[in-house]
């Protein structure tokens, strides 16, 4: 039987009940899938998950966009750095210096007006010397931590 399958000569007779059902319902459609990886017909029809629509309801809860057009060069994301990986997920903040500055605003250059650290949404020159030092120390320590986490 295996050889007949391989060479394409295998055949089977279906019971009459099934043959009649097939004759009645010739429009066979595939079952629906829940595959989230399917691409839409037109990619422009669906918003990118990385860039939420300005009309997204949660955006209103967070306030208006706050843009930092003058990020301090030493704080700016370096080539190959990912903000979430280098300054959020892969670090243990308890092992780094304290920082009361909105890093999202000062490293990435964007945040929301209702951020807990919105008072620090000011140009670098307007930050206090203590805030500048704390942020610089934190950013340096976070970058070192990601390169070689302490045991």
């Amino acid at each position: 039987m295996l050889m007949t399958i391989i060479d394409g000569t295998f055949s089977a007779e279906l019971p009459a009940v099934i043959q009649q059902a097939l004759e009645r319902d010739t429009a066979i459609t595939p079952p629906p899938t829940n595959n989230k990886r399917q691409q839409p017909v037109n990619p422009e029809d669906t918003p990118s998950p990385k860039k939420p629509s300005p009309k997204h309801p949660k955006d209103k809860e967070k306030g208006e966009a706050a843009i930092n057009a003058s990020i301090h060069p030493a704080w700016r994301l370096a080539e190959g750095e990912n903000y979430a990986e280098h300054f959020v997920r892969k670090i243990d903040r308890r092992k780094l210096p304290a920082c009361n500055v909105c890093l999202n605003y000062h490293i990435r250059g964007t945040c929301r007006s209702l951020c807990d650290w919105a008072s620090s949404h000011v140009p670098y020159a307007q930050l206090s010397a203590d805030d500048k030092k704390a942020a610089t120390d934190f950013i340096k320590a976070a970058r070192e931590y990601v390169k070689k986490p302490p045991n």
Side-chain angles (χ1 to χ4, degrees), residues 83-135:
Y83 177 80
E85 294 298 319
H86 284 78
F87 298 99
V88 180
R89 293 187 196 120
K90 288 189 176 180
I91 63 171
D92 183 353
R93 288 179 178 265
R94 297 170 297 179
K95 296 182 179 179
L96 298 175
C99 180
N100 295 328
V101 172
C102 177
L103 297 173
N104 199 26
Y105 181 82
H106 287 285
I107 295 174
R108 291 177 66 192
T110 61
C111 195
R112 305 304 274 174
S113 62
L114 297 179
C115 159
D116 292 340
W117 304 107
S119 62
S120 71
H121 291 178
V122 296
Y124 174 82
Q126 292 180 15
L127 290 172
S128 71
D130 290 341
D131 285 342
K132 288 178 187 176
K133 181 174 179 359

Side-chain angles (χ1 to χ4, degrees), residues 26-43:
T26 57
I28 299 174
T29 58
T33 62
N34 290 332
N35 186 353
K36 292 184 180 181
R37 293 181 182 244
Q38 286 181 333
Q39 294 296 321
V41 175
N42 184 356

Side-chain angles (χ1 to χ4, degrees), residues 46-85:
T46 54
S48 168
K50 293 182 180 179
K51 295 180 181 178
S53 164
K55 297 177 184 173
H56 194 276
K58 288 189 178 182
D59 286 349
K60 291 180 182 176
E61 296 170 12
K62 297 176 185 177
E64 298 298 316
I67 308 294
N68 183 358
S70 58
I71 301 172
H72 187 273
W75 294 359
R76 182 181 305 274
L77 281 175
E79 177 112 9
E81 269 186 338
N82 176 297
Y83 177 80
E85 294 298 319

